[in-house]
Amino acid sequence: MSKSILLYGDSGDGKSTLLGEFAEHIFKTTGKHTRLYSADRGGTESVKPYIDLGIIELVTLDGGNPWIWLNSVVQGKVKKDGKWILPDNTNIGFFAFESLTSIGDELMLSLAKAAGQGKNIGGGANVNFKETDGAETLTISGNNMSHYGVVQSQIIDKVWQSQKLPGGVAWTAAVK
């Protein structure tokens, strides 16, 4: 099992910056890179110098399916030519995941969108309604209580799965 770190704090507290500094330390002491998997909509500006230097390899969610993305990244996969593959990870000394909060938000949003399309997840009543203004109609959807349990159990499972990755693992989470 790999060594694990959880960086938890308010937005702007420096969690990402600390990941960058840690990536630099890993690179200087082992010659290995850090792979940062980011679903954080706040951006990666604070670690951009490390990305530009090649110390951090960045894999972002970029609007893809968050369920497939999360399942793939906790296995150390990367997307190549539209497909998730397991590369040779021997040059990766550290895997970082940003952020549990953003990942949970993305999963919840995908469930709300599915509810808006009539997909029933968890047996609870779907939360959706339509708003109309002239010729424009908008479907608004939300989450039912079972969605929270689905997301929570998946996140717990994926954090545990990530512990099988070689080297170290870090997750960040923001206070909400």
Side-chain angles (χ1 to χ4, degrees), residues 90-105:
T90 56
N91 69 329
I92 304 295
F94 203 72
F95 294 86
F97 300 88
E98 195 154 51
S99 88
L100 285 168
T101 309
S102 297
I103 293 166
D105 289 347

Side-chain angles (χ1 to χ4, degrees), residues 31-46:
K32 294 187 176 192
H33 302 269
T34 293
R35 184 171 301 136
L36 173 59
Y37 294 107
S38 180
D40 192 351
R41 292 183 186 199
T44 55
E45 200 59 36
S46 64

Side-chain angles (χ1 to χ4, degrees), residues 69-85:
W69 182 84
L70 180 59
N71 187 62
S72 299
V73 302
V74 299
Q75 297 175 60
K77 292 182 177 182
V78 297
K79 205 167 197 179
K80 185 174 182 180
D81 299 326
K83 294 181 182 178
W84 287 101
I85 61 157

Side-chain angles (χ1 to χ4, degrees), residues 132-144:
T132 304
D133 183 14
E136 189 171 339
T137 300
L138 178 65
T139 299
I140 312 237
S141 57
N143 297 104
N144 65 40

Side-chain angles (χ1 to χ4, degrees), residues 111-121 124-128 130 139 141:
L111 292 177
K113 287 178 181 177
Q117 296 169 352
K119 189 172 187 179
N120 190 313
I121 298 164
N126 278 342
V127 180
N128 66 64
K130 295 191 183 308
T139 299
S141 57

